[in-house]
């Protein structure tokens, strides 16, 4: 493939870079947005959330909120090279790719656009873009995570509505969300993949209770959600009744593509290099220690492989191919690399690596926080083991385990 950019693409990069630097400084201050994606969803930090919403409004006004959406959905219809330039620049600054409405813009909007009807596209897509309506994703349940098709939350039809009863868990952003995509069982007698439906649920409906869960980082980005006779209008069904599994898979595919692209691993590695310049390791400056140098070089090579493989996938899209199970590779590799880099920083910091705050905490404890947050990212959107299974079975064509 050709790695050179046209003068127009270089100009586009310069324009985006200048815009991002100015607006992220104005919205988040000189320190930047900071933290991990998970911490951006912290329920207790209203100030940060409001900054993120303001940043989102500006992104949308500038036309960057959904560069990747086609014009007929209200996006910019940018080519894949422009999208890739935008991603590079956003990740360079460690900013969120989709402002405050990540789930709406990276997976739920595209699913409604492709599998919903015209009335649903008209009603929901515009307010996703403006950030006026925040979305969350109600898939996992206490007994249905990796085995998602085992879900038990029930919906029965009564007149013009579905009536929903049950429970979801680990629902990111439910505490901020106005709307949710919800997987429910509508035919308990059918084989488990066949009796599921995909609903759009108003999170302000009577009968919904959201209870934040505290994560290992001490933050509360995800929640338990309980449904007690919640009425959902029949027109909020996406696709056919009992055929929601196909719709849910589309959302998961978009989620995994996004999961492989949104982690600023190269930026984190640059910060690791800075750390190695300032601390000692085994009695000598860390930057001079051969083991430290080798580990960092290895991480940098892997991050470059990840970037090249992202370009390869973009190149395939340019030739008209849709993302397939190889999106599992990006998700698996990016989140595992992110975890290993954070754990190595803790190794460099020794006993100081455990300090998240107070005297002795290096860089305000950001590495300890990252290590704790990074583990969750290897589980969200399908755990690493599940991604290994998908790659083994669908890419490498190995027999089912
Ligand atoms: C930060 C974060 C955000 C999340 N946000 C959301 C959200 O917004 N909405 C939502 O619906 N869910 C969300 N989740 C839930 C997430 O999708 C599930 O945690 C994940 O799918 C795993 O399911 P589980 O927790 O039930 O674990 P289980 O499925 O019970 O798995 C337990 C362990 O067994 C392993 N395992 C299970 N099955 C297999 C198998 N067949 N082969 C090999 N190993 C296996 C798993 O890898 C894991 O290590 C989030 C999770 C996290 C960590």
């Amino acid at each position: 493939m050709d790695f050179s950019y046209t003068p127009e693409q270089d100009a586009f990069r310069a324009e985006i870079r200048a815009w991002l630097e100015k607006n992220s400084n104005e919205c988040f201050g000189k320190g930047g947005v900071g933290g991990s994606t998970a911490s951006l969803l912290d329920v207790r930090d209203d100030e940060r959330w409001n900054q993120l919403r303001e940043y989102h409004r500006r992104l949308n006004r500038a036309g960057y909120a959904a560069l990747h959406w086609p014009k007929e959905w209200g996006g910019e219809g940018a080519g894949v090279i422009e999208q890739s330039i935008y991603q590079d620049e956003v990740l360079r600054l460690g900013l969120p790719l989709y402002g405050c409405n990540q789930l709406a813009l990276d997976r739920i909007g595209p699913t409604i656009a492709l599998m919903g009807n015209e009335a649903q596209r008209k009603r929901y897509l515009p307010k996703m873009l403006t950030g006026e309506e925040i979305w969350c994703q109600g898939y996992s349940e206490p007994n249905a995570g990796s085995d998602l098709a085992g879900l038990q939350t029930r919906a029965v039809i009564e007149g013009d509505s579905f009536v929903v009863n049950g429970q979801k868990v680990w629902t990111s952003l439910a505490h901020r969300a106005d709307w949710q995509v919800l997987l429910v069982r509508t035919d308990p007698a059918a084989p488990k993949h066949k009796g599921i439906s995909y609903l759009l649920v108003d999170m302000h409906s009577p009968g919904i209770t959201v209870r934040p869960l505290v994560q290992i980082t001490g933050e509360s980005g995800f929640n338990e959600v309980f449904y007690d006779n919640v009425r959902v209008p029949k027109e909020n069904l996406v696709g056919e009744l009992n055929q929601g599994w196909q719709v849910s898979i589309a959302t998961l595919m978009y989620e995994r593509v996004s999961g492989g692209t949104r982690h600023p691993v190269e930026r984190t590695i640059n910060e690791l290099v800075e750390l190695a310049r300032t601390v000692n390791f085994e009695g000598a400056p860390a930057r001079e220690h051969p083991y430290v140098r080798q580990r960092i070089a290895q991480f940098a090579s892997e991050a470059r492989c990840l970037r090249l493989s992202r370009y390869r996938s973009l190149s395939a899209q340019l030739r008209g191919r849709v993302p397939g199970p190889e999106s599992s590779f990006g998700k698996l590799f990016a989140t595992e690399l992110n975890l290993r880099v954070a754990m190595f920083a803790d190794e460099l910091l020794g006993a100081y690596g455990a300090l998240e705050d107070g005297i002795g905490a290096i860089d305000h404890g950001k590495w300890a926080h990252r290590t704790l947050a990074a583990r969750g990212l290897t589980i969200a959107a399908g755990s690493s083991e599940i991604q290994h299974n998908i790659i083994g079975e669908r890419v490498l064509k190995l027999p089912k385990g």
Side-chain angles (χ1 to χ4, degrees):
M1 63 182 284
D2 180 4
F3 287 101
S4 52
Y5 291 97
T6 64
E8 292 76 21
Q9 287 162 349
D10 282 334
F12 180 68
R13 184 186 294 279
E15 180 190 309
I16 285 200
R17 183 173 291 191
W19 190 94
L20 290 173
E21 282 173 357
K22 175 176 181 292
N23 286 279
S24 66
N25 273 339
E26 285 174 6
C27 292
F28 304 117
K30 283 264 179 259
V33 67
S36 65
T37 312
S39 73
L40 291 174
L41 311 180
D42 186 351
V43 70
R44 289 169 301 191
D45 196 342
D46 285 337
E47 190 188 338
R48 209 171 200 206
W49 176 249
N50 289 336
Q51 290 171 344
L52 197 57
R53 286 199 94 154
E54 170 56 21
Y55 177 70
H56 187 107
R57 278 191 281 273
R58 292 182 186 209
L59 265 187
N60 185 49
R61 280 200 299 269
Y64 296 145
L67 216 51
H68 62 302
W69 282 19
K71 287 207 182 278
E72 61 267 30
W73 304 356
E76 291 300 305
V80 281
I81 299 288
E82 284 71 24
Q83 292 175 42
S84 155
I85 290 172
Y86 173 74
Q87 282 178 5
D88 284 351
E89 293 304 315
V90 166
L91 295 182
R92 197 178 66 80
L93 294 173
L95 294 166
L97 268 172
Y98 304 104
C100 66
N101 218 0
Q102 178 192 314
L103 279 67
L105 295 182
D106 74 356
R107 67 198 78 158
I108 298 172
T111 306
I112 293 178
L114 287 178
M115 305 182 105
N117 57 38
E118 189 52 26
Q120 290 167 342
R121 280 189 282 275
K122 278 208 173 112
R123 162 64 188 84
Y124 298 109
L125 300 190
K127 290 189 176 178
M128 291 182 173
L129 286 168
T130 58
E132 283 167 89
E133 289 177 346
I134 304 296
W135 284 74
C136 67
Q137 180 178 358
Y139 275 32
S140 308
E141 297 184 2
N143 291 316
S146 303
D147 180 22
L148 182 60
L151 61 93
Q152 296 297 324
T153 294
R154 279 283 275 132
V156 292
I157 296 179
E158 271 183 29
D160 287 344
S161 306
F162 291 94
V163 177
V164 179
N165 281 286
Q167 185 200 338
K168 297 287 170 178
V169 71
W170 320 125
T171 318
S172 301
L173 271 181
H175 55 293
R176 303 282 189 198
D178 303 292
W179 285 88
Q180 176 178 59
V181 286
L182 183 68
L183 288 186
V184 289
R185 187 157 299 286
T186 36
D187 182 358
K192 64 181 184 177
H193 292 88
K194 300 249 162 91
I196 292 173
S197 298
Y198 190 104
L199 303 181
L200 308 176
V201 176
D202 181 345
M203 288 296 283
H204 308 294
S205 309
I208 295 187
T209 308
V210 176
R211 283 198 207 142
L213 290 165
V214 180
Q215 291 156 240
I216 195 171
T217 54
E219 296 156 327
S220 306
F222 50 33
N223 306 268
E224 292 177 298
V225 185
F226 299 88
Y227 307 82
D228 182 10
N229 287 320
V230 177
R231 297 193 83 86
V232 180
K234 264 178 162 172
E235 67 256 27
N236 291 16
L237 172 73
V238 179
E240 303 283 315
L241 185 70
N242 297 325
Q243 303 297 318
W245 185 247
Q246 282 72 18
V247 188
S248 78
I249 294 296
T251 308
L252 280 178
M253 282 295 179
Y254 286 117
E255 179 176 3
R256 282 171 196 159
V257 172
S258 160
T261 54
R262 70 167 185 263
H263 302 293
V265 192
E266 286 183 303
R267 178 185 162 92
T268 312
I269 293 169
N270 289 339
E271 290 179 23
L272 183 63
V273 172
E274 288 309 312
L275 182 69
R277 284 190 219 280
T278 55
V279 298
N280 282 349
F281 186 73
E282 293 184 340
R287 66 177 183 280
E288 291 170 12
H289 199 294
Y291 166 71
V292 174
R293 294 170 75 86
Q294 277 202 1
R295 288 294 301 271
I296 295 179
Q298 177 70 30
F299 291 141
S301 320
E302 291 182 31
R304 184 50 63 97
C305 288
L306 193 60
R307 182 200 279 241
L308 291 176
S309 110
R310 177 159 63 85
Y311 288 165
R312 188 170 54 184
S313 138
L314 284 174
S315 191
Q317 285 178 53
L318 274 174
R319 294 193 186 97
R321 276 183 44 213
V322 280
E326 72 274 10
S327 58
S328 288
F329 166 79
K331 195 272 167 185
L332 172 68
F333 198 75
T335 55
E336 289 288 340
L337 178 59
N338 185 50
L339 175 63
R340 283 186 288 121
V341 170
M343 285 171 69
F344 181 66
D346 279 344
E347 193 180 332
L348 277 188
L349 289 170
Y352 291 100
L355 297 175
E356 281 193 85
D357 210 358
I359 298 166
I362 313 276
D363 290 340
H364 307 289
K366 81 175 174 196
W367 293 103
H369 180 276
R370 275 184 186 161
T371 310
L372 296 175
R375 180 72 64 184
L377 299 176
T378 68
I379 300 170
S383 68
S384 291
E385 290 77 14
I386 294 302
Q387 306 308 328
H388 277 126
N389 285 349
I390 293 172
I391 294 166
E393 288 165 21
R394 296 201 219 143
V395 181
L396 302 175
K397 311 287 181 209
L398 295 170
K400 261 188 178 298

